[in-house]
Amino acid sequence: MKNRILCIIILFLTSFLVNCQSVFKPIDTSSAGLCRLNLTKEYTGKFSFINKNIVTSTSAQKTIIKGIYNEIQESFLEKINQNNFICEDNLNVYLNGLLQEVLSKNGIKENYRILLSKDGNANAYNTGDGTIVIHFGLFLTIDNEDELVFVISHEIGHQYLNHVKHEIESFAKLTTSQEVINKTKEIRGKKYGKATMAGDFLKNVGYQNYAMRRKKEFAADSIAVAFYKKTFRNPKAGITLLEKLDSSDIEKDSLTINDYKLILNKNDFKVKKSWFEQEESLFKKYDTEKLIIVDSLKTHPDCTTRITMIRKYANGNFTEKSTVSDNFSSIKQVSIYQNLINLYDQELYGMSLYETFKLYKKDNENAVLKNIIYINLCKILSSKTSYTINRYIPKVDNKRNTASFNRFITFINTIKPSDLQLIINNFKS
């Protein structure tokens, strides 16, 4: 029932935005229900086959591996159930056509496929079963089709080298190793300092895993260059891609209190400075220590090193010419607006509103942005009145969030529903 209502809302939103601004036509997701059923059936069968064919040297390792696979698979099926993947025939044909280009040029006959997720960050990943997931947010970062093909080549590299399978097996071997068993006994036998000792041990294990991931990224890059070369596309794409990814997690814009005044001060409504005042954490000293986030496309701090390696493998054979096909241009053209709708579709109303505010402050006559603000504000007001706001707005987090995003979260949490209703009235068409 929830998914049916969501489809109705999205269909309404689609026609609403098309009428607002004819140059923007959202991706058609009307077949989402059927797509969800087909994907669920396909991947349930695929996962069942994988689970039946797990081979390990000990029963303890097999138990751990099965547990990890079950968690990964349940998470993936949940994403399907939540309509996380964009199902549109032309898009699927286009992306899988690029995939087949790399596979056929390199004589790879295994079954691969691409799924396009609604996630807004610049990323892609390989699930270990031949599926490559491209985040829609990647289109906000890349500028041409060659860079996209290099991403695909990189993820094929991970699959070709069986990185997911090997990482799971390595973890199972590590956690059942005599070293870990002995260390666990040693920690348990200590009278004092157990927590410190356990923490140091976990940090060491984490560092080993991080170092292993770095090696796998280098390996995937190396084989990606070899795969990509055979497509005869611009060799510079791998370098320009990593240069962009190196700064992809740096917020390019922000919102100040004056920006909120510019956006919201209308019809006698005035922004109050008190809405943005944050309570100072008792752990402020530790809150400001930023986390290192590792993903499958960008691995800190190695982008520069990886670029050097790719430059060497490509033998400096660079041109400035790159491929920008009509299909790529069509996706790129709608990527900014479509990303905002994707965030809304995933019920990330806070993030969708925040990103829309940043665009709207520079273009306050834009009807599409105005209406995206309106629908997100309506959802946020509804969640505040039903005391479910924490489902849709993240918490203030000095480690993960920018100061600008924390300011936005504080504003949303502080403002009264009555004031929020006044803002909504000003954005209502």
Side-chain angles (χ1 to χ4, degrees):
M1 182 67 179
K2 179 183 174 184
N3 287 322
R4 183 182 175 188
I5 293 171
L6 181 62
C7 285
I8 293 171
I9 291 171
I10 296 302
L11 283 171
F12 169 76
L13 175 62
T14 299
S15 60
F16 193 41
L17 294 176
V18 169
N19 290 331
C20 287
Q21 192 157 317
S22 59
V23 296
F24 171 53
K25 185 179 179 182
I27 293 172
D28 181 11
T29 57
S30 58
S31 62
L34 179 60
C35 175
R36 185 178 69 253
L37 291 174
N38 290 338
L39 286 176
T40 299
K41 182 178 179 181
E42 176 185 344
Y43 280 91
T44 299
K46 182 178 286 190
F47 294 154
S48 176
F49 178 80
I50 291 172
N51 296 339
K52 288 178 182 177
N53 289 275
I54 295 173
V55 178
T56 59
S57 56
T58 68
S59 59
Q61 289 178 16
K62 188 170 185 178
T63 299
I64 291 172
I65 290 172
K66 274 194 169 183
I68 295 172
Y69 274 127
N70 282 334
E71 287 186 20
I72 293 172
Q73 292 161 5
E74 286 175 12
S75 175
F76 196 81
L77 290 172
E78 182 64 19
K79 286 186 176 186
I80 293 173
N81 187 53
Q82 292 176 343
N83 285 320
N84 179 259
F85 299 108
I86 297 175
C87 294
E88 199 277 330
D89 290 343
N90 292 331
L91 262 177
N92 289 339
V93 169
Y94 169 61
L95 292 174
N96 282 284
L98 296 179
L99 173 67
Q100 289 304 317
E101 175 188 347
V102 180
L103 295 176
S104 62
K105 292 288 175 92
N106 287 277
I108 300 172
K109 301 188 183 302
E110 287 83 359
N111 289 326
Y112 286 73
R113 72 170 300 172
I114 286 182
L115 293 177
L116 180 63
S117 87
K118 296 174 183 176
D119 291 8
N121 55 324
N123 202 2
Y125 63 92
N126 154 252
T127 63
D129 59 27
T131 302
I132 293 170
V133 177
I134 301 289
H135 287 194
F136 190 86
L138 187 64
F139 289 100
L140 299 176
T141 299
I142 60 177
D143 291 313
N144 57 67
E145 191 175 87
D146 295 337
E147 291 172 345
L148 177 57
V149 172
F150 192 88
V151 170
I152 294 170
S153 300
H154 177 92
E155 297 307 328
I156 290 173
H158 278 302
Q159 177 65 42
Y160 191 82
L161 298 171
N162 268 322
H163 279 165
V164 173
K165 181 175 180 288
H166 291 159
E167 187 166 341
I168 292 172
E169 290 175 351
S170 296
F171 178 81
K173 288 176 182 177
L174 176 64
T175 53
T176 57
S177 67
Q178 196 61 47
E179 177 192 0
V180 171
I181 293 170
N182 292 341
K183 198 69 177 179
T184 302
K185 287 180 180 178
E186 182 186 347
I187 293 170
R188 285 176 181 167
K190 291 285 182 181
K191 198 167 186 179
Y192 304 104
K194 286 184 181 181
T196 301
M197 193 172 180
D200 290 343
F201 181 62
L202 287 173
K203 283 180 183 177
N204 185 50
V205 171
Y207 176 77
Q208 290 176 23
N209 287 339
Y210 176 54
M212 184 66 71
R213 287 194 178 198
R214 289 171 60 189
K215 289 180 181 178
K216 287 176 179 175
E217 294 305 318
F218 282 120
D221 282 340
S222 299
I223 200 165
V225 171
F227 288 157
Y228 182 83
K229 271 185 175 181
K230 293 187 178 179
T231 66
F232 300 106
R233 290 174 176 267
N234 186 359
K236 197 175 182 179
I239 293 173
T240 57
L241 170 71
L242 284 172
E243 286 173 343
K244 291 164 188 171
L245 291 174
D246 195 31
S247 60
S248 63
D249 59 354
I250 300 173
E251 191 171 25
K252 305 299 189 296
D253 199 359
S254 61
L255 290 172
T256 65
I257 294 177
N258 285 334
D259 290 329
Y260 286 95
K261 290 177 179 178
L262 177 68
I263 294 168
L264 302 176
N265 284 356
K266 296 178 182 179
N267 299 330
D268 298 325
F269 179 85
K270 300 295 180 186
V271 167
K272 298 177 183 177
K273 188 177 179 181
S274 60
W275 291 339
F276 303 92
E277 293 175 357
Q278 299 176 36
E279 291 185 13
E280 189 168 298
S281 169
L282 293 173
F283 306 100
K284 183 178 179 182
K285 175 183 175 182
Y286 307 101
D287 287 347
T288 54
E289 295 176 4
K290 295 294 182 183
L291 294 178
I292 292 177
I293 300 172
V294 179
D295 63 38
S296 62
L297 284 182
K298 176 185 174 180
T299 305
H300 293 277
D302 293 317
C303 275
T304 303
T305 309
R306 291 165 66 190
I307 287 170
T308 301
M309 183 273 293
I310 292 174
R311 195 182 296 276
K312 179 181 176 182
Y313 270 83
N315 298 321
N317 183 27
F318 301 136
T319 67
E320 296 304 317
K321 185 179 179 181
S322 57
T323 306
V324 183
S325 66
D326 290 342
N327 283 317
F328 181 88
S329 295
S330 297
I331 301 172
K332 184 69 178 175
Q333 186 177 359
V334 303
S335 61
I336 293 176
Y337 292 152
Q338 185 66 46
N339 183 57
L340 300 175
I341 293 175
N342 290 344
L343 292 171
Y344 175 88
D345 191 9
Q346 295 175 90
E347 299 186 344
L348 301 174
Y349 306 129
M351 182 60 74
S352 180
L353 180 62
Y354 176 68
E355 294 298 328
T356 310
F357 272 170
K358 288 194 292 185
L359 296 170
Y360 187 75
K361 74 174 185 178
K362 301 173 184 176
D363 189 9
N364 59 16
E365 298 297 324
N366 189 307
V368 174
L369 296 177
K370 182 179 178 182
N371 283 298
I372 294 176
I373 290 172
Y374 172 75
I375 59 175
N376 278 299
L377 286 172
C378 288
K379 288 292 186 181
I380 289 171
L381 175 60
S382 176
S383 69
K384 282 180 78 77
T385 55
S386 63
Y387 303 101
T388 58
I389 188 70
N390 289 337
R391 295 182 188 176
Y392 313 108
I393 307 293
K395 294 180 180 179
V396 169
D397 189 331
N398 291 323
K399 287 186 179 234
R400 292 176 174 82
N401 301 341
T402 62
S404 174
F405 191 42
N406 280 336
R407 188 181 304 118
F408 168 82
I409 294 168
T410 302
F411 161 67
I412 293 297
N413 286 328
T414 305
I415 190 170
K416 295 178 180 178
S418 56
D419 289 319
L420 199 54
Q421 183 62 63
L422 293 174
I423 297 174
I424 289 172
N425 291 341
N426 286 335
F427 278 91
K428 187 175 182 180
S429 295

